[in-house]
Amino acid sequence: MGNVNMTDMDAETSTHTEPAVDEEVPLFSNLDLFLFSLIVGLVIYWFMSRKKPEHIPEFKKAPTTRETSFIEKMKKTGKNIIVFYGSQTGTGEEFSNRLSKDAQRYGMKGMAADPEEYEMGELARLSEIKNSLAIFCMATYGEGDPTDNAQDFYDWLQENDDEDLSGLNYTVFALGNKTYEHYNAMGKYVDKRLEELGAKRIFDLGLGDDDGNLEEDFVSWREQFWPAVCEHFGVEALGDESSIRQYELKEHTDLNMNKVYTGEIGRLKSFEVQKPPFDSKNPFLAPVTVNRRLNKGGDRHLMHLELDITGSKIRYESGDHVAVFPTNDSTLVNKLGQILGVDLDVVISLNNLDEESNKKHPFPCPTTYRTALTHYLDITHPPRTNVLYELAQYASDPKDQENMRKMASSSPEGKVMLNPKFRNILAILEDMPSLRPPVDHLCELLPRLQARYYSIASSSKVHPNSIHICAVVVEYETATGRINKGVATNWLKNKLVTDNGHKSTVPMYIRKSQFRLPFKTTNPVIMIGPGTGIAPFMGFIQERGWLKQQGKEVGETVMFFGCRHKNEDYIYQEELEEAEKNGVLTQLNVAFSRDQEQKVYVQHLMKKNKEDIWKLIHSDNAHIYVCGDAKNMAKDVQTALHEIGEELGGMTRTQATDYIKKLMTKGRYSQDVWS
């Protein structure tokens, strides 16, 4: 402000003191001196009285001294087995930890490692370590893609044709889902590519199918894998079946509560001082502005939520996913505390016994048992076999101990006993009164509670400061007569717009997707999405409407939607009919599966409209989008398209299948599906 004032005053003085041309005037008149003194005085006053800017504490990143050479780290710590994981939801990481822990039972030392944290070009140097082995637990994500943390490793494998990995011993366990088109693509690629670069496979590729029983596949593979390792390296199992702790408990009695984590994912106090950019380690607390039930009747609860992202600098595109971090039901947490007879508000840290490990704690520490069981640990998923096996030692009744070990084995009897329909840890503790493990060991063994992903049901062109979610609340009865509730959907259902005068917030971030509208607005789009599969298409429809308003030429926009009953769960009916009336939707086809004797699904309506569909695809360069259930719907839709290709394109089934595959390769057939 100071400069502006001075300039203004200078201009004013010059107009008032202009002398006559022929008059002799002194260099400075009294008025000049007076005004000059006044200006100097004002400037001094302005500098003196200026408020010093408030000091804003900066959150400086600690200088990183992290070792990026896994070879040096292994040499330093005497490790000879390294288990790399490509993990999106935490399962790949969990399997890696189990394998690295297993190594101890065979007189070896293992470490689990995130490929994103290390220089993967060093794989060729692994031969410098005696009896060394690299294990890769690789999950496949989306349409056959690597997980986020394995993207760089995948790129490195693709780009380095002259790499010589002849000194590398390796094996791969792949995590995938058979209902997806590219089943276990990433694991298969790593396995094949390492062999091409000269590495030696010492055990067959393991294929884990999450549509069947991923845990069972892993356990069966692992039971054969370790004997093969022993044979290859000429070592023997130590016969030590006792539990090996990875972390030790420290209880804090005099800790300042400001240093205790209360649910933050990354930085301490990050929920109090929100600071962009927001991502998986630093989610944004988005206030809930709308939470309404979408369906008019029926026994299910379909909901529409709107999250406010104003001021967050978060950007999204139609088709992206929103990731939310849910919390467990406090009733379940309290019950666990009661059964185990523990004060849930004790402040603890679980510290890694391996001081060299990058992973200092299994979840943010120090924290309380209550926070860990509420925010950080998955207490509702049926526990994996390694958890049952390790907890068995704490059953005082030998019969319970034997049953636990059977459940943990891959025997047919054990599978029946565990009955994955769906006994969570609380149910197991309730059914086995003699099983009372220490709560800290339970916290060490339970997997991390993961973020949940939802297709965004809005367009940023229309709603730049709002993200819409469409979801169905999960609730079902188990074989043991218990009611199981989906963690995230029930948590979201209870996110009222104002809760006791406070705004409800949801910790969230955006995950980019390849599910995108065509770059050319004139391309027709065919959208197929029954149930909550309609979510991304609500964004697409909003965006196509916005483009029309901007005066852009927009191609045909065709929708195939399906629900059970027109009067119960025809969600977004008003919005869809409005879009059809305005010409934004050029065709709206809705299948009500249970409103007549014979069930009608989206694929049946597609067959009815086959001529139109074939023209749009074959002649007009249409883009096809499928969203929803991967197991049945996505496959049935694909079959319908194969049949349309045979009938109207004069193709054989093989040609029609190849034709649709080519559309996928060209990015003209996109799927956003889940099982």
Side-chain angles (χ1 to χ4, degrees):
M1 283 300 290
N3 288 343
V4 175
N5 288 342
M6 282 172 69
T7 313
D8 287 347
M9 290 175 80
D10 281 346
E12 216 174 290
T13 33
S14 64
T15 52
H16 284 294
T17 58
E18 193 175 322
V21 177
D22 57 347
E23 242 179 14
E24 194 180 338
V25 291
L27 190 59
F28 292 112
S29 72
N30 287 341
L31 183 58
D32 282 338
L33 289 168
F34 168 72
L35 287 170
F36 181 71
S37 310
L38 182 64
I39 291 163
V40 172
L42 283 170
V43 170
I44 292 167
Y45 173 75
W46 180 75
F47 272 109
M48 297 293 286
S49 63
R50 206 166 39 141
K51 241 180 117 178
K52 282 198 173 74
E54 265 181 57
H55 177 66
I56 296 164
E58 270 188 64
F59 293 95
K60 287 198 177 107
K61 279 193 174 166
T64 60
T65 51
R66 202 183 68 219
E67 179 75 80
T68 59
S69 165
F70 63 85
I71 298 292
E72 297 312 318
K73 189 159 194 174
M74 288 173 79
K75 286 178 176 176
K76 200 159 113 187
T77 54
K79 305 270 170 51
N80 61 335
I81 291 181
I82 184 158
V83 195
F84 290 106
Y85 56 85
S87 184
Q88 198 73 29
T89 62
T91 312
E93 182 179 359
E94 195 190 321
F95 286 0
S96 294
N97 283 323
R98 283 161 70 173
L99 289 167
S100 69
K101 231 170 146 182
D102 280 347
Q104 279 179 261
R105 303 189 199 280
Y106 301 91
M108 304 187 211
K109 284 184 85 179
M111 66 180 264
D114 182 343
E116 201 171 32
E117 294 185 356
Y118 293 102
E119 185 52 63
M120 296 306 283
E122 288 203 330
L123 282 171
R125 290 184 57 204
L126 208 57
S127 56
E128 294 172 18
I129 295 168
K130 195 180 172 225
N131 283 1
S132 63
L133 168 66
I135 307 170
F136 297 85
C137 285
M138 307 309 287
T140 299
Y141 162 62
E143 299 296 298
D145 303 315
T147 56
D148 293 348
N149 77 312
Q151 183 67 54
D152 292 346
F153 174 46
Y154 175 72
D155 294 343
W156 178 82
L157 283 173
Q158 283 197 309
E159 290 157 13
N160 288 281
D161 284 327
D162 53 351
E163 196 71 41
D164 177 15
L165 298 182
S166 52
L168 173 69
N169 296 311
Y170 80 95
T171 191
V172 179
F173 183 81
L175 297 84
N177 187 311
K178 262 208 176 96
T179 57
Y180 288 81
E181 177 84 15
H182 306 278
Y183 173 54
N184 270 324
M186 182 60 181
K188 289 172 182 172
Y189 174 74
V190 171
D191 182 59
K192 178 172 135 291
R193 187 66 176 139
L194 290 173
E195 185 180 46
E196 284 171 3
L197 296 174
K200 183 179 182 184
R201 181 191 297 109
I202 69 155
F203 190 67
D204 295 339
L205 166 70
L207 296 173
D209 177 19
D210 202 25
D211 184 48
N213 189 328
L214 186 57
E215 171 72 12
E216 209 174 282
D217 295 337
F218 175 68
V219 169
S220 305
W221 177 84
R222 178 171 159 247
E223 282 175 0
Q224 296 165 63
F225 164 68
W226 282 112
V229 171
C230 291
E231 196 179 325
H232 182 85
F233 292 119
V235 296
E236 281 182 30
L238 300 177
D240 178 17
E241 289 300 314
S242 65
S243 167
I244 300 164
R245 291 293 299 262
Q246 194 179 344
Y247 300 93
E248 65 177 350
L249 171 69
K250 178 172 172 37
E251 288 190 2
H252 303 278
T253 47
D254 53 355
L255 195 66
N256 178 344
M257 289 309 279
N258 278 329
K259 292 184 177 161
V260 177
Y261 282 86
T262 56
E264 304 94 327
I265 307 301
R267 180 171 53 82
L268 186 67
K269 302 292 174 201
S270 62
F271 287 167
E272 286 176 29
V273 183
Q274 289 263 279
K275 207 173 171 215
F278 297 105
D279 54 28
S280 60
K281 294 192 169 57
N282 180 36
F284 175 65
L285 288 181
V288 177
T289 52
V290 173
N291 184 349
R292 63 184 169 94
R293 184 172 176 157
L294 282 169
N295 50 325
K296 300 179 186 83
D299 51 3
R300 297 183 306 158
H301 183 102
L302 291 110
M303 57 186 171
H304 172 91
L305 276 94
E306 297 184 12
L307 307 178
D308 185 4
I309 54 167
T310 307
S312 66
K313 297 197 171 129
I314 288 173
R315 300 277 172 271
Y316 75 95
E317 297 290 328
S318 306
D320 282 343
H321 298 125
V322 57
V324 304
F325 289 92
T327 57
N328 289 312
D329 185 343
S330 58
T331 315
L332 297 181
V333 173
N334 288 333
K335 268 191 191 166
L336 270 174
Q338 280 165 6
I339 282 182
L340 297 174
V342 64
D343 176 0
L344 292 174
D345 296 310
V346 170
V347 178
I348 57 125
S349 287
L350 285 178
N351 301 325
N352 202 324
L353 290 161
D354 176 2
E355 288 176 7
E356 296 296 326
S357 172
N358 282 1
K359 192 171 179 161
K360 300 299 177 199
H361 317 282
F363 43 77
C365 289
T367 190
T368 63
Y369 286 123
R370 185 184 305 283
T371 300
L373 293 166
T374 304
H375 292 272
Y376 300 137
L377 298 169
D378 187 344
I379 61 173
T380 59
H381 197 273
R384 299 206 185 274
T385 52
N386 66 308
V387 177
L388 297 172
Y389 194 90
E390 292 217 25
L391 293 181
Q393 61 183 308
Y394 299 114
S396 53
D397 180 343
K399 190 98 186 89
D400 280 352
Q401 203 168 105
E402 189 191 337
N403 285 342
M404 291 276 289
R405 294 227 157 95
K406 270 184 194 157
M407 277 195 248
S409 73
S410 56
S411 71
E413 192 189 352
K415 285 173 205 169
V416 173
M417 286 171 67
L418 180 57
N419 189 356
K421 295 272 184 235
F422 270 100
R423 282 170 95 189
N424 60 32
I425 190 65
L426 183 60
I428 288 169
L429 291 170
E430 284 173 340
D431 294 346
M432 292 193 177
S434 91
L435 176 66
R436 293 298 176 261
V439 67
D440 63 294
H441 199 176
L442 184 67
C443 287
E444 173 178 324
L445 292 170
L446 288 175
R448 280 291 294 267
L449 184 59
Q450 298 294 331
R452 305 301 203 265
Y453 301 99
Y454 297 96
S455 302
I456 296 176
S458 53
S459 161
S460 58
K461 301 281 190 290
V462 182
H463 300 283
N465 291 317
S466 182
I467 283 172
H468 300 182
I469 294 174
C470 164
V472 60
V473 175
V474 178
E475 194 170 306
Y476 56 91
E477 192 174 331
T478 69
T480 55
R482 293 178 169 93
I483 297 296
N484 265 14
K485 293 181 173 188
V487 177
T489 54
N490 281 277
W491 168 77
L492 282 171
K493 180 188 171 186
N494 294 318
K495 286 282 174 187
L496 308 174
V497 176
T498 50
D499 198 1
N500 291 334
H502 297 289
K503 276 185 180 174
S504 284
T505 57
V506 168
M508 52 71 67
Y509 69 97
I510 299 297
R511 189 171 72 183
K512 293 286 168 201
S513 152
Q514 300 302 313
F515 203 71
R516 288 276 183 268
L517 277 169
F519 182 70
K520 280 176 74 176
T521 60
T522 50
N523 282 108
V525 301
I526 301 168
M527 304 175 289
I528 305 151
T532 56
I534 196 173
F537 302 136
M538 295 311 295
F540 282 9
I541 291 164
Q542 287 171 17
E543 189 137 331
R544 299 279 270 192
W546 180 86
L547 288 163
K548 274 179 99 89
Q549 282 176 353
Q550 303 302 303
K552 296 263 180 12
E553 191 190 335
V554 177
E556 281 199 55
T557 306
V558 178
M559 176 87 216
F560 288 92
F561 173 61
C563 57
R564 293 177 183 180
H565 301 283
K566 184 173 184 176
N567 296 330
E568 280 184 11
D569 54 358
Y570 184 0
I571 58 177
Y572 297 115
Q573 181 180 354
E574 293 78 13
E575 290 93 327
L576 292 172
E577 288 173 355
E578 179 74 13
E580 188 185 31
K581 197 174 94 186
N582 295 340
V584 174
L585 271 179
T586 40
Q587 268 189 57
L588 174 59
N589 309 286
V590 189
F592 304 107
S593 60
R594 302 183 188 184
D595 274 352
Q596 60 286 309
E597 210 171 303
Q598 281 213 305
K599 288 189 175 170
V600 177
Y601 295 116
V602 283
Q603 62 270 22
H604 299 132
L605 295 190
M606 288 169 67
K607 295 278 234 347
K608 263 191 185 171
N609 289 271
K610 59 190 175 192
E611 285 86 2
D612 197 39
I613 285 176
W614 184 245
K615 178 185 172 293
L616 288 171
I617 295 170
H618 196 63
S619 309
D620 302 344
N621 210 23
H623 286 233
I624 306 160
Y625 300 90
V626 182
C627 182
D629 159 50
K631 199 168 187 174
N632 302 308
M633 182 276 299
K635 282 183 177 166
D636 293 338
V637 164
Q638 222 163 305
T639 305
L641 287 168
H642 293 157
E643 288 169 6
I644 291 170
E646 279 180 87
E647 200 182 326
L648 299 175
M651 303 177 185
T652 64
R653 175 51 67 100
T654 311
Q655 287 171 325
T657 307
D658 287 346
Y659 182 87
I660 296 300
K661 276 209 168 119
K662 277 205 181 85
L663 290 180
M664 289 177 172
T665 314
K666 288 177 181 167
R668 279 183 54 204
Y669 188 128
S670 306
Q671 299 188 93
D672 182 358
V673 291
W674 55 84
S675 63

